[in-house]
Amino acid sequence: VQLQASGGGLVQAGGSLRLSCAASGYTGRNYAMGWYRQAPGKEREFVAASSWGGGTTNYTDSVKGRFTISRGNAKNTVYLQMNSLKSEDTAVYYCAASGAMATMTSPAYWGKGTLVTVSS
């Protein structure tokens, strides 16, 4: 399974970015996808996850109301719309996938990270 993430960059505080991730080579059915992030000097943390159909989503408290996760029509893609960005959102963001939402706490598959830098 390959996960290819894109969309990171430099943005001013209060601005927006949209991350994208496309999965390929997954032979399972109805897999969940989501995002984790790792800030400098900190452990990797969960950000958001979406079920296969997008009907179930989870967010970490610090991004609720600011970030929105969604699945593409082809279902092998996941997006993270990030609004009202704060300096504390600066991190490397990783796309992840797993067989079910319940296992997104420890995803089976990881993509390479994309760097998001929020300047204050």
Side-chain angles (χ1 to χ4, degrees), residues 12-38:
Q12 289 188 333
S16 298
L17 277 177
R18 188 191 195 208
L19 304 183
S20 302
C21 178
S24 60
Y26 196 97
T27 58
R29 297 176 61 186
N30 300 353
Y31 52 93
M33 295 183 73
W35 298 91
Y36 279 69
R37 67 185 179 186
Q38 187 167 18

Side-chain angles (χ1 to χ4, degrees), residues 31-74:
Y31 52 93
M33 295 183 73
W35 298 91
Y36 279 69
R37 67 185 179 186
Q38 187 167 18
K42 296 186 177 182
E43 294 185 354
R44 189 176 299 186
E45 65 170 351
F46 170 80
V47 177
S50 171
S51 62
W52 170 259
T56 301
T57 57
N58 289 334
Y59 298 91
T60 190
D61 286 346
S62 62
V63 308
K64 286 180 180 177
R66 300 189 298 122
F67 291 10
T68 302
I69 190 169
S70 61
R71 299 293 288 264
N73 290 334

Side-chain angles (χ1 to χ4, degrees), residues 3 21 23 31-34 49-50 69 71 75-78 95-97 104:
L3 301 174
C21 178
Y31 52 93
M33 295 183 73
S50 171
I69 190 169
R71 299 293 288 264
K75 304 304 182 191
N76 69 324
T77 56
V78 67
C95 180
M104 281 300 294

Side-chain angles (χ1 to χ4, degrees), residues 90-114:
T90 294
V92 176
Y93 284 70
Y94 296 90
C95 180
S98 199
M101 282 291 280
T103 57
M104 281 300 294
T105 54
S106 184
Y109 305 102
W110 294 92
K112 293 182 180 179
T114 184

Side-chain angles (χ1 to χ4, degrees), residues 79-105:
Y79 305 99
L80 187 68
Q81 178 66 44
M82 304 184 295
N83 298 329
S84 302
L85 283 160
K86 305 176 181 180
S87 57
E88 51 262 44
D89 295 317
T90 294
V92 176
Y93 284 70
Y94 296 90
C95 180
S98 199
M101 282 291 280
T103 57
M104 281 300 294
T105 54

